[in-house]
């Protein structure tokens, strides 16, 4: 028995989503798979390569969802195709995959909405109070305009239909500090200069709403432009770095309609470029030793 949790990219609106502004996010074709086999008691089997604190955290988070699912008698193993802690929603994907397989094993409702509701328990163990955009996008596997309910890790969402294939190139650069730290440091700046930061968050939220409309209109050029402007505002918020900027400009040079960091940002992490056809750029970057891949987030797929 298997459960899949997709990784995600935020096209527009990371960080400002924490403050109640909309974000545009879509699922990656890569993610985490949880596999369950019958066992005497409900348990998570982890690879020996993990550190003791990592094991303790994962076990605690798993136990929280296992309890809610009625502790079905299965042993669960996890396999991730996603790089961890790089801004691609690996923890949300892990939470969704585990929840999905446990609900299936328990013979319970495993609808995307129910998976999202319970996976939140696991996400909270990892992140405290996230905006909820990661695990929601992962569970629903749809392109979403997501708006957090203040103070909660849930929110209102609109599923978007794209008349055109929405393809991104994802490139990984450097190392990244945990999301918690980046979000916390920004919160301190925001508390010190609230008007300035609130203004920037609001502008990013407007870009996300404009980007959603551009998607529905099939106007990828307008979406790409919103991504470029969003990158400028993320840099203004202190969330970019020379390494991330270099990659943003590289992707634009390779023909991206828009490029920006995605996820929490900081010193390193993931950069996305919106491309009509990303494969030539993927090939060029791989030849140059850059870790990267492409994924279609929404829209009609070639047969
Ligand atoms: O970098 P990630 O995948 O942890 O994404 C974080 C997204 C933020 O908006 C920065 C935080 C949040 O809770 O939405």
């Amino acid at each position: 028995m298997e459960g899949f949790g997709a990784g995600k990219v935020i096209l527009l609106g990371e960080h400002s989503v924490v403050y109640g502004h909309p974000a545009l996010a879509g699922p990656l074709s890569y993610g985490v798979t949880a596999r369950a086999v019958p066992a005497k008691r409900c348990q998570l089997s982890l690879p020996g390569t993990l550190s003791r604190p990592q094991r303790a955290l994962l076990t605690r988070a798993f136990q929280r969802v296992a309890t809610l699912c009625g502790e079905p008698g299965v042993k669960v193993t996890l396999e991730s195709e996603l790089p961890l802690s790089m801004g691609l929603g690996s923890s949300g994907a892990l939470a969704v995959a585990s929840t999905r397989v446990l609900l299936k094993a328990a013979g319970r409702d495993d609808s995307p909405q129910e998976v999202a509701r319970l996976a939140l328990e696991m996400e909270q163990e990892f992140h405290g109070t996230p905006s909820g955009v990661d695990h929601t996008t992962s569970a629903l596997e749809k392109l979403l305009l997501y708006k957090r309910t203040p103070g909660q890790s849930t929110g209102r969402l609109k599923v978007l239909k794209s008349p055109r294939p929405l393809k991104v190139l994802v490139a990984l650069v450097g190392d990244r500090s945990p999301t918690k730290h980046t979000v916390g440091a920004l919160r301190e700046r925001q508390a010190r200069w609230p008007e300035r930061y609130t203004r920037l968050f609001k502008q990013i939220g407007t870009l996300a709403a404009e980007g959603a409309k551009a998607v529905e209109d099939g106007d990828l050029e307008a979406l790409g432009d919103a991504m470029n402007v969003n990158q400028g505002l993320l840099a203004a918020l202190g969330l970019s770095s020379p390494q991330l900027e270099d990659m943003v400009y590289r992707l634009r040079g390779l023909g991206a309609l828009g490029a920006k960091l995605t996820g929490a940002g900081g010193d390193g992490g993931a950069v996305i470029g919106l491309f009509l056809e990303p494969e030539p750029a993927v090939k060029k970057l791989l030849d140059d030793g850059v870790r990267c891949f492409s994924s279609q987030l929404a829209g009609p797929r070639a047969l």
Side-chain angles (χ1 to χ4, degrees), residues 8 10 14-15 17-18 87-89 130-131 133-134 176 179 183 263-264:
K8 67 92 201 28
I10 299 181
E14 48 275 273
H15 288 284
V17 69
V18 172
L88 302 177
S131 69
V133 69
D134 279 25
R176 215 191 63 158
T179 300
V183 169

Side-chain angles (χ1 to χ4, degrees), residues 43-47 55 62 75-78:
Q43 56 187 292
L44 178 64
S45 164
L46 291 168
R55 299 178 80 83
F62 178 84
K75 181 161 92 176
V76 175
T77 51
L78 299 166

Side-chain angles (χ1 to χ4, degrees), residues 63-80:
Q63 193 51 48
R64 229 164 123 166
V65 173
T67 306
L68 291 169
C69 293
E71 309 237 358
V74 285
K75 181 161 92 176
V76 175
T77 51
L78 299 166
E79 192 187 327
S80 176

